[in-house]
Amino acid sequence: MIGKGKDVIQIYLRRFFDFIEPVKDIAYFLFLFLFFELLWKLSVHEADNGELLIVWGKDITSYIYPICLWTAQFTYYIIHNLFGFSSFNIDGLLIYFDNSLKMKIIWGCTGVKQMLLFIFILICYKGPAKKKLVFIPLSVLLLFFVNILRLIVSAFMIKDGFPDWFIPINESLNNVTWTNTPQSYWKFYEDWYYFFHDGFFKWIYYDGVMFLLWLFWQEKYNLPYQRSKI
């Protein structure tokens, strides 16, 4: 009976591995993604609305502050100097257009977590090590510029307030009611910002770009490398 039980388990295991064979590489990518997120949750704590970064109980906000400041200054330079918008301002970590909502560049706006995530995935993933030495830095550089692009687009999205069509959407999403008062306006204005900054742009720019970078690595480097070993 014990032998038959083992045979049944082996049959189901073979069926399971045969089933996931076509998507095993994507499954491994997702496993690494979620494993990093788990490690991050266990070791990193955010406080004061995300402005404080605490790792293993130690506040390292002051160490990452220069990165936040540089990110704010670089974004300001592009919009104000390169694009020529003199109405765009900077005040420490705050960047904003005249009379618009102010964006504060905290550590979560720097893209550091996403860069570390992608580095972790590539280090743990299969493929030629020498190629990784070039591909990882170039990918991190691309993620950096993608993050700057996200901040630039976010700044322009909130430059002139929010459109009327957002009112019923926000009422449904956040269970709030539009009252046509200054307080209500600024509440919906902030929700409009977070709708893109923490929602749409975060998933498209970060997770979407990282998946495409991994897919490029998989098709361009890893699969040929694995075939060459057969």
Side-chain angles (χ1 to χ4, degrees), residues 14-29:
R14 282 198 298 269
R15 287 179 179 177
F16 172 75
F17 287 116
D18 289 340
F19 174 76
I20 69 169
E21 177 65 25
V23 294
K24 62 180 177 55
D25 292 315
I26 294 179
Y28 186 49
F29 169 82

Side-chain angles (χ1 to χ4, degrees), residues 4 10 14 16 18 41 47 57 68 72 76 84 90 103 114 126 150 156 167 171 177 189 199 208 215 219:
K4 290 183 178 180
Q10 290 176 351
R14 282 198 298 269
F16 172 75
D18 289 340
K41 294 293 184 184
C68 299
Y76 167 78
I90 185 170
M103 295 168 50
Q114 287 70 25
K126 300 167 290 184
R150 179 181 73 99
F156 279 102
I167 292 177
E171 288 180 324
T177 302
Y189 196 179
L215 189 61
E219 297 295 328

